[in-house]
Amino acid sequence: MSLTSNATLETFQERIDQGEYIEPKDVFPDEYRKHLIRQMSQHAHSEVIGMQPEGNWITRAPSLRAKQILLAKIQDEGGHGLYLYSAAETLGISRSEMINQLQTGKAKYSSIFNYPTLNWADIGAIGWLVDGAAIVNQVSLQRTSYGPYSRAMVRICKEESFHQRQGYEIMTKMMRGTNEQQKMAQDAMNRWWWPSLMMFGPHDSNSPNSGNAFKWKIKRESNDVLRQKFIDKTIPQALLIGLTIPDKDYKLNEKTGHYEIGKINWEEFNNVINGNGPCNKQRINHHIKYHNEGAWVREAALAYSKKQK
Amino acid sequence: MSTNNNQLEVWEVFIQSKSGLPHIHVGSVHASDIKMAMQNARDIYTRRGEGTSIWVVPTLSISASNPLDNEMLFDPSNDKIYRMPTFYVMPEGAQNI
């Protein structure tokens, strides 16, 4: 329910400040609802669109074991999308509206999924780096102030760790393999490292949506804080299996104990967000095509359920 | 277009994680009938042995209390502290009570 008189706004903020969770029937400002719908639907769309780059390798997985794992992982991503759509629907937006916003470009999804998966090591890099970055963000979101979103995040975090570990296992195996396999793994690292760092969004000094998100505890930690956590966790994992960090300026700051990195190419980030990445059109066209081709299934299901009544 | 955008009915899903424990709400699914709702709930919410039992209920069949009525609904119980065991004074030395 959304009301915006000053008194209700104050009560809402007091509840947030006391660390209470907000539930669907509570009174909250319309802006809170809008912010959540934008963030949660974008999150759901990312999970669903994220199935495409990985789906590209199902038929070419190098073993039956690898294929089973990849199928299970992609099924999880679809499941995560559905948890999040379900949570977003508690705010009064319908599933069809959200899908429509995705297909017309009104709603965004994570720009990382607009990059192609060129070799098998890309599946390793996606699990290890892309899901690794997502986990850092999602762990923090488990404490987000909107109850249904928080509960969906708890569920998702339980499942993500399998994704990251299977990705790192692929990278490790390839780094222990032939020269050619090592080259493929490094090539994947070189292409996915920077886009993974960009997943956390713009620097704090340049993050337009953060003000209210912090005040309302939708967001609990800043883009740069989360990015640094990911960098500090991931660089030692890369070095352990012999991968090179594709950044000539990265170094460990002995005083702070944190890794410092070179400049992120934000021009590329904005370019991909604005629709000019390598696969933007392909991803949306694919979604529309299969959504339309599935229409007869929904029709048949409805006709059957009417007949039963 | 209208059929294409039909998202089917929404059902709420409750899972019992172990026999003896209560069914807990986990989220919702879309389905045209109860059989599909059950199948979707199974696929979406129990991929890792999370459950021993599933309930699905049409969302429209659930009535929820309004948070604005919370005072009226729940405050009176705070006035009746004699419902709490700690309200009663036991004699010194009394055991197992």
Side-chain angles (χ1 to χ4, degrees):
Chain A
M1 192 186 292
S2 58
L3 289 177
T4 37
S5 79
N6 281 343
T8 27
L9 271 182
E10 267 174 39
T11 323
F12 167 76
Q13 191 61 49
E14 273 168 26
R15 293 189 59 207
I16 295 273
D17 294 341
Q18 284 165 10
E20 278 184 45
Y21 285 91
I22 305 300
E23 294 295 336
K25 293 191 88 174
D26 288 342
V27 176
F28 46 78
D30 207 39
E31 284 304 312
Y32 180 76
R33 176 177 173 271
K34 278 188 195 148
H35 190 111
L36 279 168
I37 287 181
R38 192 185 63 232
Q39 181 171 332
M40 291 163 74
S41 66
Q42 178 174 326
H43 199 157
H45 297 326
S46 302
E47 300 279 359
V48 170
I49 296 292
M51 297 164 81
Q52 290 184 39
E54 299 190 296
N56 183 35
W57 280 89
I58 292 176
T59 54
R60 292 174 288 165
S63 66
L64 182 57
R65 177 182 186 267
K67 188 174 189 162
Q68 282 177 315
I69 293 171
L70 185 57
L71 278 168
K73 177 176 190 296
I74 295 171
Q75 192 192 12
D76 271 359
E77 304 300 0
H80 295 175
L82 293 173
Y83 302 158
L84 285 159
Y85 283 131
S86 156
E89 284 169 73
T90 63
L91 291 159
I93 187 169
S94 71
R95 181 87 52 99
S96 348
E97 263 175 286
M98 287 188 274
I99 300 232
N100 187 263
Q101 289 177 353
L102 168 69
Q103 294 185 343
T104 55
K106 201 186 154 214
K108 306 265 187 232
Y109 55 89
S110 181
S111 60
I112 192 104
F113 301 116
N114 290 318
Y115 292 90
T117 40
L118 303 179
N119 79 53
W120 174 250
D122 287 31
I123 298 303
I126 287 184
W128 171 47
L129 297 174
V130 177
D131 287 331
I135 290 173
V136 171
N137 189 33
Q138 289 170 163
V139 164
S140 170
L141 282 173
Q142 289 182 109
R143 295 184 301 125
T144 190
S145 61
Y146 188 56
Y149 193 21
S150 158
R151 293 191 284 275
M153 281 300 117
V154 170
R155 185 168 283 279
I156 287 176
C157 283
K158 274 188 199 154
E159 301 182 351
E160 284 285 359
S161 146
F162 137 57
H163 297 180
Q164 201 195 8
R165 290 172 64 109
Q166 65 85 33
Y168 191 52
E169 190 194 78
I170 292 176
M171 295 306 267
T172 309
K173 270 191 185 163
M174 294 188 78
M175 288 306 287
R176 287 178 185 159
T178 62
N179 243 342
E180 206 183 353
Q181 286 175 311
Q182 290 171 6
K183 269 191 199 140
M184 284 163 84
Q186 185 63 51
D187 172 52
M189 173 75 179
N190 294 350
R191 282 180 291 109
W192 291 96
W193 173 249
W194 288 104
S196 302
L197 298 182
M198 294 176 198
M199 281 174 71
F200 295 95
H203 286 305
D204 297 350
S205 51
N206 188 25
S207 183
N209 295 324
S210 287
N212 281 336
F214 279 115
K215 196 172 96 188
W216 294 332
K217 296 191 182 167
I218 294 174
K219 210 172 153 72
R220 305 303 304 256
E221 287 170 293
S222 78
N223 294 354
D224 283 331
V225 167
L226 294 169
R227 183 166 20 239
Q228 190 62 47
K229 278 189 186 176
F230 173 70
I231 290 168
D232 288 337
K233 279 197 333 183
T234 311
I235 288 182
Q237 291 167 1
L239 300 178
L240 180 72
I241 57 173
L243 284 165
T244 306
I245 314 297
D247 174 358
K248 59 179 171 36
D249 296 322
Y250 98 90
K251 58 173 187 293
L252 179 64
N253 182 327
E254 301 276 355
K255 258 193 211 150
T256 61
H258 293 296
Y259 283 96
E260 289 167 7
I261 59 158
K263 273 212 174 91
I264 294 175
N265 180 354
W266 293 111
E267 207 178 309
E268 176 187 331
F269 176 76
N270 290 325
N271 210 12
V272 179
I273 281 200
N274 292 328
N276 304 316
C279 303
N280 294 52
K281 287 193 185 72
Q282 184 188 331
R283 299 292 184 238
I284 291 300
N285 288 344
H286 181 94
H287 193 279
I288 294 174
K289 176 170 182 266
Y290 283 92
H291 186 66
N292 291 342
E293 284 181 5
W296 72 268
V297 180
R298 295 186 289 276
E299 267 169 51
L302 275 176
Y304 178 75
S305 103
K306 267 188 201 140
K307 214 170 132 189
Q308 298 302 103
K309 273 173 193 165
Chain B
M1 196 62 191
S2 61
T3 322
N4 200 17
N5 280 338
N6 194 309
Q7 51 166 30
L8 311 180
E9 248 185 285
V10 187
W11 307 67
E12 300 300 321
V13 181
F14 299 79
I15 306 269
Q16 181 192 42
S17 60
K18 241 167 67 179
S19 66
L21 294 179
H23 286 68
I24 292 178
H25 181 251
V26 291
S28 62
V29 293
H30 289 218
S32 58
D33 62 18
I34 198 155
K35 203 171 154 194
M36 191 194 286
M38 188 58 86
Q39 183 64 46
N40 287 351
R42 185 262 156 225
D43 288 348
I44 295 166
Y45 293 103
T46 64
R47 287 193 302 282
R48 290 178 172 78
E50 289 92 337
T52 51
S53 166
I54 302 173
W55 291 351
V56 286
V57 184
T59 303
L60 291 175
S61 303
I62 294 183
S63 325
S65 65
N66 186 333
L68 294 175
D69 297 336
N70 276 7
E71 206 171 311
M72 180 184 76
L73 289 172
F74 306 117
D75 269 7
S77 44
N78 294 337
D79 296 340
K80 299 182 175 65
I81 50 170
Y82 46 81
R83 282 178 174 153
M84 304 295 174
T86 46
F87 178 76
Y88 299 92
V89 183
M90 294 294 107
E92 191 110 358
Q95 282 177 354
N96 301 322
I97 181 159

